[in-house]
C-alpha cells in the first residue's frame, strides 16, 4: 500500500497536472521511460531531505532561532554524463562537482530544493519505491498549502528590475 495522504487523495494523473501547472508548461514533458529511469536512480543513488531545522538569524543585536524547512533532492555519482542528463531532462536544479580525497573518483551532484523538489516529486511519484515515503511527504507539504498569494514568479520579478 502507498504511504501518506497522497495515495488516498490524488492519482498519478492529478499529481502530474499539479506539477505541470506549477511550472506553467515551461518544461518538456518527459517520457514514462525517462521518469521511471530517474526514479530508479533516486531509489539507488539519490537522497531526499524533508526535515525542519533551527536556523539562527541576526536582527540588529538580537539573534533569533526559527524553524525552517529543508526540502532537498539530490543524486551523487561518478558518471558525469548521467548527472547532466538528469539535469537536462528535469530542467531544474544544479550540477556541481563534489571533490573527493585520497584517490577516490570525482563525484558529480545534481541537486534541487523546495518547489523544484515538488515538481520532481510529482514526476517521480508513480515510479518510486524506496523513496516513496519522502516523495509523498514533499507532495503533501506543497499540495496542502492553501495560502499561495505570496508566491511570485522569479522571471516576472527579474523582468521588473
Amino acid at each position: 500500500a502507498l504511504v501518506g495522504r497522497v495515495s488516498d487523495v490524488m492519482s498519478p494523473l492529478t499529481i502530474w497536472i499539479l506539477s505541470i501547472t506549477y511550472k506553467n508548461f515551461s518544461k518538456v514533458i518527459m517520457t514514462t521511460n525517462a521518469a521511471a529511469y530517474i526514479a530508479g536512480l533516486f531509489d539507488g543513488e539519490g537522497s531526499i531531505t524533508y526535515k525542519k531545522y533551527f536556523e539562527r538569524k541576526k536582527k540588529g543585536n538580537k539573534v533569533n532561532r526559527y524553524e525552517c524547512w529543508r526540502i532537498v533532492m539530490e543524486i551523487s555519482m561518478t558518471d558525469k554524463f548521467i548527472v547532466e542528463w538528469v539535469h537536462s531532462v528535469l530542467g531544474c536544479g544544479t550540477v556541481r562537482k563534489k571533490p573527493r580525497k585520497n584517490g577516490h573518483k570525482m563525484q558529480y551532484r545534481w541537486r534541487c530544493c523546495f518547489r523544484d523538489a515538488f515538481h520532481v516529486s510529482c514526476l517521480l511519484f508513480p515510479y518510486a519505491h524506496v523513496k516513496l515515503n519522502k516523495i509523498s511527504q514533499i507532495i503533501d507539504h506543497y499540495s496542502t498549502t492553501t495560502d499561495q498569494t505570496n508566491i511570485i514568479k522569479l522571471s516576472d520579478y527579474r523582468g521588473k528590475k
Side-chain angles (χ1 to χ4, degrees):
L2 298 178
V3 179
R5 293 180 306 209
V6 174
S7 61
D8 299 333
V9 180
M10 294 187 215
S11 69
L13 177 63
T14 306
I15 293 168
W16 178 78
I17 290 170
L18 272 174
S19 175
I20 297 301
T21 303
Y22 161 66
K23 287 297 185 178
N24 294 324
F25 299 98
S26 64
K27 300 290 178 220
V28 175
I29 298 171
M30 74 172 72
T31 65
T32 57
N33 288 342
Y37 183 78
I38 293 171
L41 280 177
F42 261 103
D43 282 347
E45 303 287 332
S47 170
I48 299 176
T49 303
Y50 178 80
K51 186 175 178 182
K52 277 187 180 180
Y53 286 96
F54 278 104
E55 288 189 8
R56 297 173 60 203
K57 304 214 179 186
K58 188 173 182 180
K59 189 172 187 180
N61 292 332
K62 189 176 179 183
V63 176
N64 295 324
R65 291 180 59 192
Y66 299 97
E67 274 191 334
C68 299
W69 280 102
R70 281 283 171 255
I71 300 173
V72 180
M73 297 178 82
E74 68 180 48
I75 296 176
S76 294
M77 57 191 325
T78 59
D79 192 343
K80 182 179 180 182
F81 175 77
I82 296 294
V83 174
E84 288 178 343
W85 175 81
V86 167
H87 181 250
S88 68
V89 168
L90 293 175
C92 63
T94 58
V95 175
R96 301 270 191 257
K97 289 182 179 179
K98 190 175 175 184
R100 311 313 285 165
K101 295 180 182 177
N102 300 332
H104 293 280
K105 290 175 81 174
M106 174 68 71
Q107 281 191 354
Y108 299 91
R109 176 173 59 191
W110 172 85
R111 179 181 224 184
C112 71
C113 305
F114 303 109
R115 292 271 174 183
D116 285 336
F118 169 66
H119 168 69
V120 173
S121 295
C122 289
L123 294 173
L124 302 184
F125 175 77
Y127 310 103
H129 296 285
V130 176
K131 304 283 194 290
L132 186 60
N133 186 28
K134 291 287 186 180
I135 287 174
S136 297
Q137 287 176 340
I138 292 171
I139 292 171
D140 286 339
H141 178 84
Y142 284 109
S143 61
T144 57
T145 303
T146 56
D147 181 26
Q148 296 187 355
T149 57
N150 62 347
I151 298 173
I152 61 168
K153 286 189 204 173
L154 286 178
S155 58
D156 292 345
Y157 178 75
R158 290 179 183 143
K160 292 179 182 176
K161 285 191 170 185

